Amino acid sequence: DATSFNSKLVLQAYERVSGIGSGHNGVLGFSNHGLGNWGYYLARVDFRNNGIQAFNQGSSLGASYDFGVTPLTDTWYHIRLVCDKEAGTYQVFLNGTLVSGKNTGNASDIRNAFPMLITSNPITNITIGAGNSDYYIVAHYDDVIAYAIE
């Protein structure tokens, strides 16, 4: 039960996209779809046209961190999110390597533990998706696994 995990929650999958459009091309993360109009994204990785990014979103867009990696089409990437409830952060591993990200709104804010929206909003869903403004995009996922580390 992801709403009552005590320590760390992990989500990992292999992901590839068929194209790179202007919107969210491939999405993997934890969310709560019962909040707000579109749900709250508590810990998420997006494949976007301008790079692979980590971000959270509540009633408005939260912090977004760019990894400095432009996704290639038809290339498999292994994504692993490790959420730390106590710290209120999550780390992202891309092909087994811990990544750092630069805040897209503040270039001096570089980190490898990204803020979660976990304090008052429990995780209730795993979000997996493709495209939002370029609906021809196809995303493929394989070996999707979620588990708690206590």
Side-chain angles (χ1 to χ4, degrees):
D1 179 1
T3 61
S4 62
F5 79 99
N6 292 322
S7 184
K8 293 186 179 180
L9 191 63
V10 177
L11 175 62
Q12 65 183 25
Y14 287 91
E15 178 177 354
R16 73 180 172 110
V17 294
S18 67
I20 303 297
S22 61
H24 306 283
N25 301 293
V27 174
L28 180 68
F30 290 111
S31 58
N32 183 323
H33 289 179
L35 300 171
N37 292 330
W38 293 94
Y40 281 22
Y41 300 101
L42 309 174
R44 178 169 151 169
V45 173
D46 273 19
F47 281 48
R48 302 179 63 89
N49 64 323
N50 56 344
I52 301 176
Q53 299 178 350
F55 83 91
N56 61 49
Q57 179 176 348
S59 57
S60 62
L61 182 62
S64 179
Y65 293 86
D66 187 88
F67 302 154
V69 176
T70 301
L72 303 173
T73 58
D74 297 317
T75 299
W76 286 102
Y77 293 89
H78 185 258
I79 307 292
R80 183 173 57 171
L81 287 78
V82 179
C83 303
D84 185 331
K85 185 176 183 179
E86 284 185 21
T89 60
Y90 68 104
Q91 294 180 308
V92 177
F93 295 80
L94 181 62
N95 296 329
T97 301
L98 176 64
V99 295
S100 293
K102 184 186 330 181
N103 188 319
T104 58
N106 176 1
S108 65
D109 180 10
I110 299 172
R111 60 179 71 198
N112 65 10
F114 309 105
M116 290 180 63
L117 295 178
I118 193 67
T119 53
S120 61
N121 303 311
I123 292 171
T124 58
N125 306 89
I126 293 173
T127 299
I128 299 174
N132 75 337
S133 61
D134 295 307
Y135 293 102
Y136 61 87
I137 301 293
V138 175
H140 302 269
Y141 298 88
D142 197 9
D143 294 333
V144 178
I145 302 169
Y147 58 94
I149 301 172
E150 298 298 331

